[in-house]
Amino acid sequence: MHHMGMDMDHGHDHGDMEMGQCSMNMLFTWSTKNLCIVFPQWRVTGILSLLISLLLIVLLTAGYEGVRQLTRRFEVAHAKRLSAYTTAAVGGNEIHDDSPPANDPPSQTLPVPNGGSQLVVGRDSRKSVEQRGKITMASLYAVQVFYSFFIMLLFMTYNGFVMLAVAVGAFVGYLVFGDDTSASKTVACH
């Protein structure tokens, strides 16, 4: 009977099989044996590859906060561009005009008496600026969703080292990119 069981192995050495497989943990662990991170090619093979992987995870997670900040800045800039089309202060009165001035250059800043500056709207219509802005914001949102789910996959390795690296990355990302945001975060994945 024992011989028949060996024949079913087809001559494979179990040690070689273990080296080629990624462990898929569904319980919290600190083990890095056969640890693959998201992809089978991203395999931890020793202490150096573990440290490099953890550093990469910290940078990836911090980068997510950078993408969020980029999105926030774009939204503010886009709102300013749109407000230049809708209202222009002239002697305390507001003028609403969706069409650009006839012979003005694409976009320039003019000095105003109080020391500030006033944006002069370019040749694009408000609707085209609004549409381009919406497409850009939708693209940035899609990047954020993809990025956040990728970070979730990192966390779902259930490996304590990887989980800590994600938390450290969020910490670093907030320190670097979160200067104008609240530290509270919703429970959502993205």
Side-chain angles (χ1 to χ4, degrees):
M1 283 275 187
H2 180 56
H3 180 68
M4 191 164 82
M6 286 181 68
D7 286 341
M8 292 183 76
D9 280 344
H10 302 288
H12 293 288
D13 181 28
H14 289 291
D16 290 339
M17 263 177 71
E18 284 184 26
M19 293 297 287
Q21 291 182 343
C22 297
S23 67
M24 179 63 186
N25 292 310
M26 295 304 286
L27 298 171
F28 180 80
T29 183
W30 290 100
S31 174
T32 58
K33 182 180 180 186
N34 295 326
L35 174 62
C36 292
I37 302 173
V38 182
F39 306 104
Q41 296 84 5
W42 190 355
R43 181 185 309 275
V44 173
T45 58
I47 191 73
L48 182 62
S49 65
L50 175 64
L51 292 175
I52 291 170
S53 293
L54 296 178
L55 179 62
L56 185 59
I57 291 167
V58 167
L59 294 174
L60 280 168
T61 308
Y64 173 68
E65 292 301 322
V67 170
R68 290 182 63 211
Q69 182 188 49
L70 177 69
T71 302
R72 288 187 297 270
R73 285 184 176 179
F74 179 82
E75 287 174 343
V76 168
H78 181 63
K80 286 181 182 177
R81 277 190 298 274
L82 289 178
S83 71
Y85 281 97
T86 55
T87 57
V90 177
N93 296 326
E94 290 185 350
I95 299 172
H96 297 279
D97 185 11
D98 282 351
S99 62
N103 295 322
D104 284 344
S107 183
Q108 62 183 353
T109 304
L110 300 174
V112 290
N114 64 1
S117 62
Q118 179 180 6
L119 180 69
V120 176
V121 179
R123 292 189 176 108
D124 290 336
S125 72
R126 182 184 198 285
K127 187 167 184 91
S128 68
V129 169
E130 193 171 20
Q131 287 174 341
R132 281 195 311 266
K134 188 163 187 158
I135 289 170
T136 302
M137 284 190 290
S139 299
L140 288 168
Y141 180 74
V143 168
Q144 284 185 67
V145 169
F146 179 84
Y147 213 149
S148 65
F149 281 121
F150 186 82
I151 292 170
M152 180 188 67
L153 290 175
L154 291 170
F155 208 84
M156 288 179 63
T157 63
Y158 295 101
N159 183 281
F161 295 114
V162 174
M163 291 172 152
L164 285 174
V166 168
V168 169
F171 174 81
V172 169
Y174 185 80
L175 285 178
V176 174
F177 301 110
D179 46 311
D180 60 346
T181 60
S182 168
S184 63
K185 178 84 170 120
T186 63
V187 184
C189 292
H190 60 280

Coordinates of all heavy atoms in Angstrom, one line a residue, residues 79-167:
A79 N -12.7 74.0 -9.4 CA -13.7 74.9 -8.9 C -13.4 76.3 -9.2 O -14.2 77.1 -9.5 CB -13.9 74.6 -7.4
K80 N -12.1 76.7 -9.0 CA -11.7 78.1 -9.3 C -11.8 78.4 -10.8 O -12.3 79.5 -11.1 CB -10.2 78.3 -8.9 CG -10.1 78.4 -7.4 CD -8.6 78.7 -7.0 CE -8.4 78.7 -5.5 NZ -7.0 78.9 -5.1
R81 N -11.5 77.4 -11.6 CA -11.6 77.6 -13.1 C -13.1 77.9 -13.4 O -13.5 78.7 -14.2 CB -11.1 76.5 -13.9 CG -9.6 76.5 -14.1 CD -9.1 75.5 -15.1 NE -9.4 74.1 -14.7 CZ -8.6 73.4 -13.9 NH1 -7.4 73.9 -13.5 NH2 -8.9 72.2 -13.6
L82 N -14.0 77.1 -12.8 CA -15.4 77.2 -13.1 C -16.0 78.5 -12.6 O -16.8 79.1 -13.2 CB -16.2 76.0 -12.6 CG -16.0 74.7 -13.3 CD1 -16.7 73.6 -12.6 CD2 -16.3 74.8 -14.7
S83 N -15.5 78.9 -11.4 CA -16.0 80.1 -10.8 C -15.6 81.4 -11.7 O -16.3 82.4 -11.7 CB -15.6 80.3 -9.4 OG -14.2 80.6 -9.3
A84 N -14.5 81.3 -12.4 CA -14.1 82.4 -13.2 C -15.1 82.5 -14.4 O -15.2 83.6 -14.9 CB -12.7 82.1 -13.8
Y85 N -15.8 81.5 -14.8 CA -16.8 81.6 -15.8 C -18.1 82.1 -15.3 O -18.9 82.7 -16.1 CB -17.0 80.2 -16.4 CG -16.0 79.8 -17.4 CD1 -14.9 78.9 -17.1 CD2 -16.0 80.2 -18.7 CE1 -14.0 78.6 -18.0 CE2 -15.1 79.9 -19.7 CZ -14.0 79.0 -19.3 OH -13.1 78.7 -20.2
T86 N -18.4 81.8 -14.1 CA -19.8 82.1 -13.6 C -19.9 83.5 -13.0 O -20.9 84.1 -13.1 CB -20.2 81.1 -12.5 OG1 -19.3 81.0 -11.5 CG2 -20.4 79.7 -13.2
T87 N -18.9 84.0 -12.3 CA -19.0 85.3 -11.7 C -17.7 86.1 -11.8 O -16.6 85.6 -11.7 CB -19.3 85.2 -10.2 OG1 -18.3 84.4 -9.6 CG2 -20.7 84.6 -9.9
A88 N -17.9 87.3 -12.1 CA -16.8 88.3 -12.1 C -17.2 89.5 -11.4 O -18.3 90.1 -11.7 CB -16.4 88.6 -13.6
A89 N -16.5 89.9 -10.4 CA -16.9 91.0 -9.6 C -16.5 92.3 -10.3 O -15.4 92.5 -10.7 CB -16.2 91.0 -8.2
V90 N -17.5 93.1 -10.5 CA -17.3 94.4 -11.2 C -18.0 95.5 -10.4 O -19.3 95.6 -10.4 CB -17.8 94.4 -12.6 CG1 -17.6 95.8 -13.3 CG2 -17.1 93.4 -13.4
G91 N -17.3 96.3 -9.6 CA -17.9 97.3 -8.8 C -18.9 96.8 -7.8 O -19.9 97.5 -7.6
G92 N -18.7 95.6 -7.3 CA -19.6 95.0 -6.3 C -20.8 94.3 -7.0 O -21.6 93.7 -6.3
N93 N -21.0 94.4 -8.3 CA -22.0 93.6 -9.0 C -21.5 92.3 -9.5 O -20.3 92.3 -9.9 CB -22.6 94.5 -10.1 CG -23.3 95.7 -9.6 OD1 -23.9 95.7 -8.5 ND2 -23.2 96.8 -10.4
E94 N -22.3 91.3 -9.6 CA -21.9 90.1 -10.2 C -22.5 90.0 -11.7 O -23.6 90.3 -11.9 CB -22.4 88.9 -9.4 CG -21.7 88.8 -8.1 CD -22.1 87.5 -7.3 OE1 -23.1 86.8 -7.8 OE2 -21.5 87.2 -6.3
I95 N -21.6 89.5 -12.6 CA -22.0 89.3 -13.9 C -22.0 87.8 -14.2 O -20.9 87.2 -14.0 CB -21.1 90.1 -14.9 CG1 -21.2 91.6 -14.6 CG2 -21.5 89.8 -16.4 CD1 -20.2 92.4 -15.4
H96 N -23.0 87.2 -14.7 CA -23.1 85.8 -15.0 C -23.0 85.7 -16.5 O -23.8 86.2 -17.3 CB -24.4 85.2 -14.5 CG -24.5 85.2 -13.0 ND1 -23.9 84.3 -12.2 CD2 -25.1 86.1 -12.2 CE1 -24.1 84.6 -11.0 NE2 -24.9 85.7 -10.9
D97 N -21.9 85.0 -17.0 CA -21.7 84.9 -18.4 C -21.0 83.5 -18.7 O -20.0 83.3 -18.1 CB -20.8 86.0 -18.9 CG -20.7 86.0 -20.4 OD1 -21.4 85.2 -21.1 OD2 -19.8 86.7 -20.9
D98 N -21.6 82.7 -19.5 CA -21.1 81.4 -19.8 C -20.2 81.4 -21.0 O -19.6 80.4 -21.4 CB -22.2 80.3 -20.0 CG -22.7 79.8 -18.7 OD1 -22.2 80.2 -17.6 OD2 -23.7 79.1 -18.7
S99 N -20.1 82.5 -21.7 CA -19.3 82.6 -22.9 C -18.0 83.3 -22.6 O -18.0 84.3 -21.9 CB -20.1 83.3 -24.1 OG -20.4 84.6 -23.7
P100 N -16.9 82.9 -23.2 CA -15.6 83.6 -22.9 C -15.6 84.9 -23.7 O -16.3 85.2 -24.6 CB -14.6 82.7 -23.5 CG -15.3 81.9 -24.5 CD -16.7 81.8 -24.1
P101 N -14.8 85.9 -23.2 CA -14.6 87.2 -23.8 C -14.1 86.9 -25.3 O -13.4 86.0 -25.5 CB -13.6 87.9 -23.0 CG -13.6 87.2 -21.7 CD -14.0 85.8 -21.9
A102 N -14.5 87.8 -26.2 CA -14.2 87.7 -27.6 C -12.8 87.6 -28.0 O -12.3 86.7 -28.7 CB -14.9 88.8 -28.4
N103 N -12.0 88.6 -27.6 CA -10.6 88.6 -28.1 C -9.5 88.5 -27.0 O -8.4 88.9 -27.2 CB -10.4 90.0 -28.8 CG -11.2 90.1 -30.0 OD1 -11.4 89.1 -30.7 ND2 -11.8 91.3 -30.2
D104 N -9.8 87.8 -25.9 CA -8.9 87.7 -24.8 C -8.0 86.4 -25.1 O -8.4 85.5 -25.7 CB -9.6 87.4 -23.5 CG -10.1 88.7 -22.9 OD1 -9.7 89.8 -23.4 OD2 -10.9 88.7 -22.0
P105 N -6.7 86.5 -24.6 CA -5.8 85.3 -24.7 C -6.4 84.2 -23.9 O -7.3 84.4 -23.1 CB -4.5 85.8 -24.2 CG -4.8 87.1 -23.5 CD -6.1 87.6 -24.0
P106 N -5.9 82.9 -24.1 CA -6.4 81.7 -23.5 C -6.7 81.9 -22.0 O -7.7 81.5 -21.5 CB -5.4 80.7 -23.7 CG -4.8 81.1 -25.0 CD -4.8 82.6 -25.0
S107 N -5.8 82.4 -21.2 CA -6.1 82.6 -19.8 C -4.9 83.4 -19.2 O -3.8 83.1 -19.4 CB -6.1 81.2 -19.1 OG -6.4 81.4 -17.7
Q108 N -5.3 84.5 -18.5 CA -4.3 85.4 -18.0 C -4.8 85.9 -16.7 O -5.9 86.0 -16.4 CB -3.9 86.5 -19.0 CG -5.0 87.4 -19.3 CD -4.6 88.4 -20.4 OE1 -3.5 88.5 -20.7 NE2 -5.6 89.2 -20.8
T109 N -3.8 86.4 -15.9 CA -4.1 87.0 -14.6 C -3.9 88.5 -14.7 O -2.8 88.9 -15.2 CB -3.3 86.4 -13.5 OG1 -3.5 85.0 -13.5 CG2 -3.7 86.9 -12.1
L110 N -4.9 89.3 -14.3 CA -4.8 90.8 -14.3 C -4.7 91.3 -12.9 O -5.4 90.8 -12.0 CB -5.9 91.4 -15.1 CG -6.1 90.9 -16.5 CD1 -7.4 91.5 -17.1 CD2 -4.9 91.4 -17.4
P111 N -3.9 92.3 -12.6 CA -3.9 92.9 -11.3 C -5.2 93.7 -11.0 O -5.8 94.2 -11.9 CB -2.7 93.9 -11.3 CG -2.4 94.1 -12.8 CD -3.0 93.0 -13.6
V112 N -5.6 93.7 -9.8 CA -6.8 94.4 -9.4 C -6.4 95.4 -8.3 O -5.4 95.2 -7.6 CB -8.0 93.5 -8.9 CG1 -8.5 92.7 -10.1 CG2 -7.5 92.6 -7.8
P113 N -7.2 96.4 -8.0 CA -6.8 97.5 -7.1 C -6.4 97.1 -5.7 O -5.5 97.6 -5.1 CB -8.0 98.4 -7.1 CG -8.7 98.2 -8.3 CD -8.4 96.7 -8.7
N114 N -7.0 96.0 -5.1 CA -6.7 95.7 -3.7 C -5.4 94.8 -3.6 O -5.2 94.3 -2.6 CB -7.9 94.9 -3.1 CG -8.2 93.6 -3.8 OD1 -7.5 93.2 -4.8 ND2 -9.2 92.9 -3.4
G115 N -4.6 94.7 -4.6 CA -3.4 94.0 -4.6 C -3.5 92.6 -5.0 O -2.5 91.9 -5.1
G116 N -4.6 92.1 -5.2 CA -4.8 90.7 -5.6 C -4.7 90.5 -7.1 O -4.1 91.4 -7.8
S117 N -5.3 89.5 -7.6 CA -5.4 89.3 -9.1 C -6.7 88.7 -9.5 O -7.4 88.1 -8.6 CB -4.2 88.5 -9.6 OG -4.3 87.2 -9.0
Q118 N -7.1 88.9 -10.7 CA -8.4 88.4 -11.2 C -8.1 87.5 -12.4 O -7.3 87.9 -13.3 CB -9.3 89.6 -11.6 CG -10.6 89.1 -12.1 CD -11.5 90.4 -12.4 OE1 -11.0 91.5 -12.4 NE2 -12.7 90.1 -12.8
L119 N -8.7 86.4 -12.5 CA -8.5 85.4 -13.6 C -9.4 85.9 -14.7 O -10.6 86.1 -14.5 CB -8.8 84.0 -13.1 CG -8.7 82.9 -14.2 CD1 -7.2 82.8 -14.6 CD2 -9.3 81.6 -13.7
V120 N -8.8 86.0 -15.9 CA -9.6 86.3 -17.1 C -9.8 85.0 -17.8 O -8.8 84.3 -18.1 CB -8.9 87.3 -18.0 CG1 -9.7 87.5 -19.3 CG2 -8.7 88.6 -17.3
V121 N -11.0 84.6 -18.1 CA -11.3 83.3 -18.7 C -10.9 83.3 -20.1 O -11.0 84.3 -20.8 CB -12.9 83.1 -18.6 CG1 -13.2 81.8 -19.2 CG2 -13.3 83.2 -17.1
G122 N -10.4 82.1 -20.5 CA -9.9 81.9 -21.9 C -10.9 81.6 -22.9 O -12.1 81.9 -22.7
R123 N -10.5 81.0 -24.0 CA -11.4 80.8 -25.1 C -12.4 79.6 -25.0 O -13.3 79.5 -25.7 CB -10.6 80.6 -26.4 CG -9.9 81.9 -26.8 CD -9.3 81.8 -28.2 NE -8.8 83.1 -28.5 CZ -7.5 83.4 -28.6 NH1 -6.6 82.4 -28.3 NH2 -7.1 84.6 -28.9
D124 N -12.0 78.7 -24.1 CA -12.9 77.5 -23.9 C -14.2 77.9 -23.2 O -14.2 78.7 -22.4 CB -12.2 76.4 -23.0 CG -11.0 75.8 -23.7 OD1 -11.0 75.8 -24.9 OD2 -10.1 75.3 -23.0
S125 N -15.2 77.2 -23.6 CA -16.5 77.4 -23.0 C -16.6 76.8 -21.6 O -15.8 75.8 -21.3 CB -17.6 76.9 -23.9 OG -17.6 75.5 -23.8
R126 N -17.4 77.3 -20.8 CA -17.6 76.7 -19.4 C -17.9 75.2 -19.5 O -17.4 74.4 -18.7 CB -18.6 77.5 -18.7 CG -18.8 77.0 -17.2 CD -20.0 77.7 -16.5 NE -19.9 77.6 -15.1 CZ -20.2 76.5 -14.4 NH1 -20.6 75.4 -15.0 NH2 -20.1 76.5 -13.1
K127 N -18.8 74.9 -20.4 CA -19.2 73.5 -20.6 C -18.0 72.6 -20.9 O -17.9 71.5 -20.3 CB -20.3 73.4 -21.6 CG -20.9 72.0 -21.7 CD -22.2 72.1 -22.5 CE -22.9 70.7 -22.5 NZ -23.9 70.6 -21.5
S128 N -17.2 73.0 -21.8 CA -16.0 72.1 -22.1 C -15.0 72.0 -21.0 O -14.5 70.9 -20.7 CB -15.3 72.6 -23.4 OG -14.7 73.8 -23.2
V129 N -14.8 73.1 -20.3 CA -13.9 73.0 -19.1 C -14.6 72.1 -18.0 O -13.9 71.3 -17.4 CB -13.7 74.5 -18.5 CG1 -13.0 74.4 -17.2 CG2 -12.9 75.3 -19.5
E130 N -15.9 72.2 -17.8 CA -16.6 71.4 -16.9 C -16.5 69.9 -17.2 O -16.2 69.1 -16.4 CB -18.0 71.9 -16.8 CG -18.8 71.3 -15.6 CD -20.1 72.0 -15.5 OE1 -20.6 72.6 -16.5 OE2 -20.7 71.9 -14.4
Q131 N -16.7 69.6 -18.5 CA -16.6 68.2 -19.0 C -15.2 67.6 -18.8 O -15.0 66.5 -18.4 CB -17.0 68.1 -20.4 CG -18.5 68.2 -20.6 CD -18.9 68.3 -22.1 OE1 -18.1 68.5 -23.0 NE2 -20.2 68.0 -22.3
R132 N -14.2 68.4 -19.2 CA -12.8 67.9 -19.1 C -12.5 67.7 -17.6 O -11.8 66.7 -17.2 CB -11.8 68.9 -19.7 CG -11.7 68.8 -21.2 CD -10.5 69.5 -21.7 NE -10.3 70.8 -21.2 CZ -10.7 71.9 -21.9 NH1 -11.4 71.8 -23.0 NH2 -10.5 73.1 -21.3
G133 N -12.9 68.6 -16.8 CA -12.7 68.5 -15.3 C -13.4 67.2 -14.7 O -12.8 66.5 -13.9
K134 N -14.6 67.0 -15.2 CA -15.3 65.8 -14.7 C -14.6 64.5 -15.1 O -14.5 63.6 -14.4 CB -16.8 65.9 -15.2 CG -17.6 64.8 -14.6 CD -19.1 65.1 -14.7 CE -19.8 64.0 -13.9 NZ -21.2 64.4 -13.6
I135 N -14.1 64.5 -16.4 CA -13.4 63.3 -16.9 C -12.1 63.1 -16.1 O -11.8 62.0 -15.6 CB -13.1 63.4 -18.4 CG1 -14.5 63.2 -19.1 CG2 -12.1 62.4 -18.8 CD1 -14.4 63.6 -20.6
T136 N -11.4 64.2 -15.8 CA -10.2 64.1 -15.0 C -10.5 63.6 -13.6 O -9.8 62.7 -13.0 CB -9.4 65.4 -15.0 OG1 -9.2 65.8 -16.3 CG2 -8.2 65.3 -14.2
M137 N -11.5 64.2 -13.0 CA -11.9 63.8 -11.6 C -12.4 62.3 -11.6 O -12.0 61.6 -10.6 CB -13.0 64.7 -11.0 CG -12.4 66.0 -10.6 SD -13.5 67.1 -9.7 CE -14.7 67.6 -10.9
A138 N -13.1 61.9 -12.6 CA -13.5 60.5 -12.6 C -12.3 59.6 -12.8 O -12.3 58.5 -12.2 CB -14.5 60.3 -13.8
S139 N -11.3 60.0 -13.6 CA -10.1 59.2 -13.7 C -9.3 59.1 -12.4 O -8.9 58.0 -12.0 CB -9.2 59.8 -14.8 OG -9.9 59.8 -16.0
L140 N -9.2 60.2 -11.7 CA -8.5 60.2 -10.4 C -9.3 59.4 -9.4 O -8.7 58.7 -8.6 CB -8.4 61.7 -9.9 CG -7.3 62.5 -10.7 CD1 -7.5 64.0 -10.3 CD2 -5.9 62.0 -10.4
Y141 N -10.6 59.4 -9.5 CA -11.4 58.6 -8.6 C -11.2 57.1 -8.8 O -11.0 56.3 -7.9 CB -12.9 58.9 -8.7 CG -13.8 58.1 -7.8 CD1 -13.8 58.4 -6.4 CD2 -14.5 57.1 -8.3 CE1 -14.6 57.6 -5.6 CE2 -15.3 56.3 -7.5 CZ -15.4 56.6 -6.2 OH -16.1 55.8 -5.3
A142 N -11.1 56.7 -10.1 CA -10.9 55.3 -10.5 C -9.5 54.9 -10.0 O -9.4 53.8 -9.5 CB -11.0 55.2 -12.0
V143 N -8.5 55.7 -10.2 CA -7.2 55.4 -9.7 C -7.2 55.2 -8.2 O -6.6 54.2 -7.6 CB -6.1 56.5 -10.0 CG1 -4.8 56.3 -9.3 CG2 -5.9 56.5 -11.6
Q144 N -7.9 56.1 -7.4 CA -8.0 55.9 -6.0 C -8.7 54.6 -5.6 O -8.3 53.9 -4.7 CB -8.8 57.1 -5.4 CG -8.1 58.3 -5.3 CD -8.9 59.4 -4.6 OE1 -9.2 59.3 -3.4 NE2 -9.3 60.4 -5.3
V145 N -9.8 54.2 -6.3 CA -10.5 53.0 -6.0 C -9.6 51.8 -6.3 O -9.5 50.9 -5.4 CB -11.8 52.9 -6.8 CG1 -12.4 51.5 -6.7 CG2 -12.8 53.9 -6.3
F146 N -8.9 51.8 -7.4 CA -8.0 50.7 -7.7 C -6.9 50.6 -6.7 O -6.6 49.5 -6.2 CB -7.4 50.9 -9.1 CG -6.4 49.8 -9.5 CD1 -6.9 48.6 -10.1 CD2 -5.1 49.9 -9.3 CE1 -6.0 47.6 -10.4 CE2 -4.2 48.9 -9.6 CZ -4.7 47.8 -10.2
Y147 N -6.3 51.7 -6.4 CA -5.2 51.8 -5.4 C -5.7 51.3 -4.0 O -5.0 50.5 -3.4 CB -4.8 53.2 -5.3 CG -3.3 53.5 -5.0 CD1 -2.7 54.6 -5.6 CD2 -2.5 52.7 -4.3 CE1 -1.4 54.9 -5.3 CE2 -1.2 52.9 -4.0 CZ -0.6 54.0 -4.5 OH 0.7 54.3 -4.3
S148 N -6.9 51.7 -3.6 CA -7.3 51.3 -2.3 C -7.6 49.8 -2.2 O -7.3 49.2 -1.2 CB -8.6 52.1 -1.9 OG -9.7 51.8 -2.7
F149 N -8.1 49.2 -3.3 CA -8.4 47.8 -3.3 C -7.1 47.0 -3.3 O -7.0 45.9 -2.8 CB -9.3 47.4 -4.4 CG -10.8 47.7 -4.1 CD1 -11.5 48.5 -4.9 CD2 -11.4 47.1 -2.9 CE1 -12.9 48.8 -4.6 CE2 -12.7 47.4 -2.6 CZ -13.4 48.2 -3.4
F150 N -6.1 47.6 -4.0 CA -4.8 46.9 -4.0 C -4.2 46.9 -2.6 O -3.6 45.9 -2.2 CB -3.8 47.7 -5.0 CG -2.5 46.9 -5.2 CD1 -2.4 45.9 -6.0 CD2 -1.4 47.3 -4.4 CE1 -1.2 45.2 -6.2 CE2 -0.2 46.7 -4.6 CZ -0.1 45.6 -5.4
I151 N -4.3 48.0 -1.9 CA -3.8 48.0 -0.5 C -4.6 47.0 0.3 O -4.1 46.4 1.2 CB -3.9 49.5 0.0 CG1 -2.9 50.4 -0.7 CG2 -3.7 49.5 1.5 CD1 -3.1 51.8 -0.4
M152 N -5.9 46.9 0.1 CA -6.7 45.9 0.8 C -6.2 44.5 0.5 O -6.1 43.7 1.4 CB -8.2 46.0 0.4 CG -9.1 45.0 1.1 SD -10.8 45.0 0.4 CE -10.5 44.3 -1.2
L153 N -5.8 44.2 -0.7 CA -5.2 42.9 -1.0 C -3.9 42.7 -0.3 O -3.6 41.6 0.2 CB -5.0 42.8 -2.5 CG -6.2 42.6 -3.4 CD1 -5.9 42.6 -4.9 CD2 -7.0 41.4 -3.0
L154 N -3.1 43.7 -0.1 CA -1.9 43.6 0.7 C -2.3 43.2 2.1 O -1.7 42.3 2.7 CB -1.1 44.9 0.7 CG -0.5 45.4 -0.6 CD1 0.0 46.8 -0.5 CD2 0.7 44.5 -1.0
F155 N -3.2 43.9 2.7 CA -3.6 43.7 4.0 C -4.2 42.2 4.2 O -4.0 41.6 5.2 CB -4.7 44.7 4.5 CG -4.7 45.0 5.9 CD1 -3.8 45.9 6.5 CD2 -5.6 44.3 6.8 CE1 -3.8 46.2 7.8 CE2 -5.6 44.6 8.1 CZ -4.7 45.5 8.7
M156 N -4.8 41.8 3.1 CA -5.5 40.4 3.2 C -4.5 39.3 3.1 O -4.9 38.1 3.0 CB -6.6 40.3 2.2 CG -7.8 41.2 2.6 SD -9.1 41.1 1.4 CE -9.6 39.4 1.4
T157 N -3.2 39.6 3.1 CA -2.2 38.5 3.2 C -2.3 37.9 4.6 O -1.8 36.8 4.8 CB -0.8 38.9 2.9 OG1 -0.4 39.9 3.9 CG2 -0.6 39.4 1.5
Y158 N -3.0 38.6 5.5 CA -3.1 38.3 6.9 C -1.7 38.1 7.6 O -1.6 37.5 8.6 CB -3.9 37.0 7.1 CG -5.4 37.2 6.7 CD1 -5.8 36.7 5.4 CD2 -6.3 37.8 7.5 CE1 -7.1 36.9 5.0 CE2 -7.6 38.0 7.1 CZ -8.0 37.6 5.8 OH -9.3 37.7 5.4
N159 N -0.7 38.7 7.0 CA 0.6 38.6 7.6 C 0.9 39.9 8.4 O 0.7 41.0 7.9 CB 1.7 38.5 6.4 CG 3.1 38.4 7.0 OD1 3.7 39.3 7.4 ND2 3.5 37.1 7.0
G160 N 1.3 39.7 9.6 CA 1.5 40.8 10.6 C 2.5 41.8 10.1 O 2.3 43.0 10.2
F161 N 3.6 41.4 9.4 CA 4.6 42.3 8.9 C 4.0 43.2 7.8 O 4.2 44.4 7.8 CB 5.8 41.5 8.4 CG 6.5 40.8 9.4 CD1 6.6 39.4 9.4 CD2 7.2 41.4 10.5 CE1 7.3 38.7 10.4 CE2 7.9 40.8 11.4 CZ 7.9 39.4 11.4
V162 N 3.2 42.6 6.9 CA 2.6 43.3 5.8 C 1.6 44.3 6.3 O 1.5 45.4 5.9 CB 2.0 42.3 4.8 CG1 1.2 43.1 3.7 CG2 3.1 41.5 4.1
M163 N 0.8 43.8 7.3 CA -0.2 44.7 7.9 C 0.4 45.9 8.6 O -0.1 47.0 8.4 CB -1.1 43.9 8.9 CG -2.0 42.9 8.3 SD -2.7 41.9 9.6 CE -4.2 41.4 8.8
L164 N 1.5 45.7 9.3 CA 2.2 46.8 9.9 C 2.8 47.7 8.9 O 2.7 49.0 9.1 CB 3.3 46.3 10.9 CG 2.8 45.7 12.2 CD1 4.0 45.1 12.9 CD2 2.1 46.7 13.0
A165 N 3.3 47.2 7.8 CA 3.9 48.0 6.7 C 2.8 48.9 6.1 O 3.0 50.1 5.8 CB 4.5 47.2 5.7
V166 N 1.6 48.4 6.0 CA 0.4 49.2 5.4 C 0.1 50.3 6.4 O 0.0 51.5 6.0 CB -0.8 48.3 5.2 CG1 -2.0 49.2 4.9 CG2 -0.6 47.4 4.0
A167 N 0.1 50.0 7.7 CA -0.2 51.1 8.7 C 0.9 52.1 8.7 O 0.6 53.3 8.8 CB -0.4 50.4 10.1

